[in-house]
Amino acid sequence: MNNDVAIKVVNMTKSFKLYSDKANTLKERLVRGWKNKPEIRTVLKSIDLTISKGETVALIGVNGSGKSTLLKLMTKIIYPNKGTVKTNGKLTSLLELGAGFHPDFTGRENIYFNAAIFGLTKEEIDQRLNEIIEFSELGDFIDSPVRTYSSGMYMRLAFSVAINVDADILLIDEILAVGDQHFQDKCFQKLEELSNSNKTIVIVSHSLGAIEKLCKRAIWIKDGEIAMDGNSNKVIEAYLKECA
Amino acid sequence: MNAFKELYQYRELLKTNVRKDIRGKYKASFLGVLWSFVNPLLQVLVYAIVFPYIMKVQTDNYLIFLICGIIPWTWFTYSISNGTTSITNNANLIKKVYFPRVILPISVVTSGLVNFLISCFIILIFVLLGGVGLSWHLVFLPFIALIQYIITLAFTLLLSAINVYIKDVEYIIAFLINMLFYATPILYSTEIFHGSWLVWIFKLNPLAHLISAYRDIFYVHQVPQIFNLLILLLVGLLILIICYEIFKKLEKRFAEEV
């Protein structure tokens, strides 16, 4: 793969098996036998996509069009049925904030748990610890158990960890709505800063206004296919026209 | 080789998982971590009280004989039963974040190992107080524990992956572990079956070899059956590789199936 390319998707198809009622236990499998043929739904159809290093790209489309599935394929949470998805560089995905948080442990301890899931070592976390705590603006609460946090505080801590991982590629799924207005602005600023510093960002969002400001390129996904790919102003305009 | 590199990169996750397993499990309880040692001790106590009466056991120092069997056995069952559900219980993580999935079963077996090594001090205390004493044969301990780690990990990998697709595995396993407990010379010595065809059960049961090796070094004070252990090591490595490959095949659809 060319060194300037961050993500390359070649002729990739992903389909899910849909069971009307999934046979999860042995009994169900034995009783129904293998007659219960699943329905196969193709969510993404032969997608070809190249994202270069340093690009900030938005994925837009209506609910269920396959945007989040595409992000999950890029993270390697799921794998394609056909074709390939290749990524180049350290990758972090913010599909859900606070993965691996343990409610009984303090915010500080949870920073370690959460950052470890992203593949950071102890030393790397130590280096970033102050920055993470500062960014979260949790103050003294950082040493209280996470179960005592409000949902806003929880999200702030989680976002601060994820954003400070220092990945080359950042995949973000609809989480711009974190915390209060002040914190949202701060997150947005941080993302702008990252996108200017040669990081690759792929973002799924319905906040078209924010996307238009943040991304130069937008990809419109419609029924599992790329309907349009190009300058974000133009793509969003065409998308809004279709939705109206 | 890539697999090792990735595991090394995620070593902090492995460490925090082990710490969480050991500390987090009993965090809310009064005795805390001590429960992981009190539990097997209470179990030993029950057998030590009950069995000499109903079975007329003739073994000297039966209590120590029991402990040498129960403590490795606890490691094995802890790993198998918690390891089998390690993927399904972490469905949330599996669906949301990428990390090498093998970390989950590996951390269960590893936290079992840490518990086991600490529990070995309990064996030592009993051995000293019971008048059996210590001997240089303890140098074999790491070697025996390594073999047990390899074999336990192999089964844990296999079972954790299959349990994602067929949820019955965890219940079948609970039953099989119960059976295996009586097919392993923990409460009794293999010598009482001398000359019977039942000896074959012990010959084919890897745990029987391991436990008799532990007894050799803690209780009998003799060199364990090195040849048997070497074969066990080779077979263990072979099944570990096979089980790992199966895990790798099955893990691709974990996020869709859990």
Side-chain angles (χ1 to χ4, degrees):
Chain A
M1 190 158 69
N2 193 318
N3 230 358
D4 298 332
V5 176
I7 302 170
K8 195 169 177 69
V9 180
V10 181
N11 193 19
M12 187 270 297
T13 299
K14 178 68 193 171
S15 50
F16 290 108
K17 285 181 192 164
L18 291 183
Y19 301 87
S20 46
D21 187 13
K22 199 178 153 213
N24 236 340
T25 66
L26 202 56
K27 184 204 89 191
E28 284 167 45
R29 265 185 206 198
L30 291 177
V31 170
R32 287 203 220 131
W34 275 254
K35 277 178 286 178
N36 183 21
K37 273 274 181 273
E39 183 194 332
I40 295 195
R41 178 180 294 170
T42 309
V43 183
L44 292 169
K45 296 161 204 152
S46 23
I47 300 275
D48 278 296
L49 181 62
T50 308
I51 295 172
S52 323
K53 276 193 178 156
E55 266 192 301
T56 306
V57 181
L59 297 178
I60 56 172
V62 294
N63 288 338
S65 53
K67 308 179 298 283
S68 301
T69 307
L70 186 53
L71 276 198
K72 282 187 180 169
L73 283 154
M74 289 172 179
T75 359
K76 286 193 283 177
I77 292 175
I78 52 177
Y79 292 79
N81 298 78
K82 253 197 292 186
T84 54
V85 178
K86 280 191 181 139
T87 55
N88 194 356
K90 191 172 163 60
L91 184 147
T92 302
S93 63
L94 283 68
L95 302 187
E96 171 130 327
L97 292 173
F101 271 19
H102 195 301
D104 282 336
F105 289 89
T106 68
R108 195 184 295 270
E109 287 171 303
N110 272 303
I111 291 178
Y112 281 89
F113 294 158
N114 197 217
I117 292 177
F118 290 126
L120 262 61
T121 60
K122 178 110 178 13
E123 298 74 43
E124 287 172 318
I125 303 171
D126 286 336
Q127 279 169 21
R128 291 167 176 74
L129 190 65
N130 286 329
E131 212 174 319
I132 292 173
I133 295 174
E134 201 178 309
F135 193 87
S136 71
E137 297 177 7
L138 281 170
D140 292 340
F141 279 106
I142 201 69
D143 290 310
S144 311
V146 167
R147 71 182 131 80
T148 62
Y149 285 19
S150 73
S151 55
M153 288 158 71
Y154 188 91
M155 284 310 195
R156 256 154 51 190
L157 180 64
F159 189 82
S160 310
V161 179
I163 206 83
N164 282 303
V165 166
D166 236 356
D168 306 316
I169 307 171
L170 204 60
L171 307 177
I172 302 173
D173 191 358
E174 196 56 76
I175 48 158
L176 283 177
V178 178
D180 50 23
Q181 195 57 47
H182 160 72
F183 195 75
Q184 273 186 36
D185 292 345
K186 195 169 157 183
C187 293
F188 192 78
Q189 253 172 30
K190 180 82 183 177
L191 283 178
E192 267 183 327
E193 188 190 311
L194 288 173
S195 92
N196 291 333
S197 66
N198 208 30
K199 306 271 183 199
T200 311
I201 301 176
V202 182
I203 191 164
V204 167
S205 181
H206 294 288
S207 345
L208 298 175
I211 280 184
E212 214 169 346
K213 262 196 276 173
L214 194 65
C215 314
K216 285 203 190 72
R217 178 179 170 194
I219 298 167
W220 173 15
I221 296 179
K222 192 178 155 191
D223 300 326
E225 280 167 303
I226 296 180
M228 203 175 164
D229 180 353
N231 189 292
S232 60
N233 298 329
K234 280 185 188 149
V235 176
I236 289 174
E237 196 181 319
Y239 172 63
L240 283 175
K241 210 176 275 174
E242 165 113 358
C243 289
Chain B
M1 269 307 119
N2 256 335
F4 282 110
K5 226 174 98 186
E6 200 179 30
L7 270 184
Y8 183 70
Q9 199 213 322
Y10 278 84
R11 62 193 180 278
E12 184 59 26
L13 179 58
L14 188 64
K15 271 190 273 175
T16 53
N17 263 347
V18 170
R19 225 174 298 146
K20 237 195 293 190
D21 266 355
I22 293 175
R23 224 149 56 87
K25 195 168 147 205
Y26 302 104
K27 198 158 176 148
S29 65
F30 182 62
L31 281 182
V33 185
L34 277 181
W35 272 115
S36 14
F37 311 110
V38 174
N39 264 336
L41 278 183
L42 289 177
Q43 206 187 344
V44 166
L45 197 69
V46 171
Y47 293 126
I49 293 171
V50 173
F51 271 79
Y53 289 100
I54 57 172
M55 281 194 36
K56 302 269 176 294
V57 191
Q58 303 289 321
T59 319
D60 294 333
N61 277 317
Y62 185 60
L63 191 62
I64 292 168
F65 177 87
L66 260 180
I67 285 183
C68 296
I70 295 257
I71 288 194
W73 172 258
T74 307
W75 174 21
F76 179 75
T77 48
Y78 167 88
S79 306
I80 295 288
S81 50
N82 289 290
T84 303
T85 55
S86 62
I87 305 287
T88 42
N89 282 350
N90 286 296
N92 263 331
L93 277 186
I94 301 268
K95 281 184 191 165
K96 303 294 178 198
V97 208
Y98 172 80
F99 58 90
R101 302 333 190 182
V102 281
I103 294 259
L104 293 172
I106 291 179
S107 44
V108 172
V109 181
T110 309
S111 50
L113 170 69
V114 174
N115 260 332
F116 169 76
L117 291 176
I118 300 171
S119 303
C120 281
F121 284 101
I122 297 180
I123 303 184
L124 291 183
I125 292 170
F126 273 84
V127 162
L128 284 173
L129 294 181
V132 176
L134 297 177
S135 81
W136 64 270
H137 297 98
L138 283 179
V139 294
F140 289 106
L141 180 64
F143 179 55
I144 306 169
L146 174 75
I147 297 174
Q148 186 175 349
Y149 187 92
I150 289 170
I151 291 175
T152 313
L153 182 61
F155 285 116
T156 308
L157 282 178
L158 182 70
L159 293 170
S160 65
I162 296 177
N163 194 44
V164 173
Y165 296 85
I166 305 169
K167 299 277 189 303
D168 300 64
V169 169
E170 54 186 278
Y171 307 111
I172 299 168
I173 282 302
F175 164 72
L176 287 181
I177 284 180
N178 224 335
M179 291 255 294
L180 189 62
F181 179 75
Y182 292 100
T184 306
I186 297 168
L187 300 174
Y188 52 83
S189 146
T190 50
E191 279 146 32
I192 57 174
F193 294 108
H194 194 74
S196 152
W197 61 271
L198 281 168
V199 176
W200 278 99
I201 294 181
F202 307 129
K203 286 201 172 141
L204 293 172
N205 177 356
L207 280 164
H209 292 283
L210 288 169
I211 284 178
S212 88
Y214 286 117
R215 279 203 180 116
D216 283 339
I217 61 168
F218 281 114
Y219 176 75
V220 190
H221 294 173
Q222 65 183 16
V223 178
Q225 307 275 327
I226 296 294
F227 182 68
N228 282 356
L229 289 179
L230 281 177
I231 289 178
L232 214 51
L233 178 65
L234 285 181
V235 174
L237 282 174
L238 188 69
I239 55 169
L240 179 62
I241 292 167
I242 294 170
C243 291
Y244 177 77
E245 290 302 325
I246 296 174
F247 187 95
K248 278 281 158 198
K249 273 251 151 58
L250 293 178
E251 84 172 344
K252 300 213 157 166
R253 285 185 47 231
F254 278 177
E256 293 164 48
E257 297 280 345
V258 285

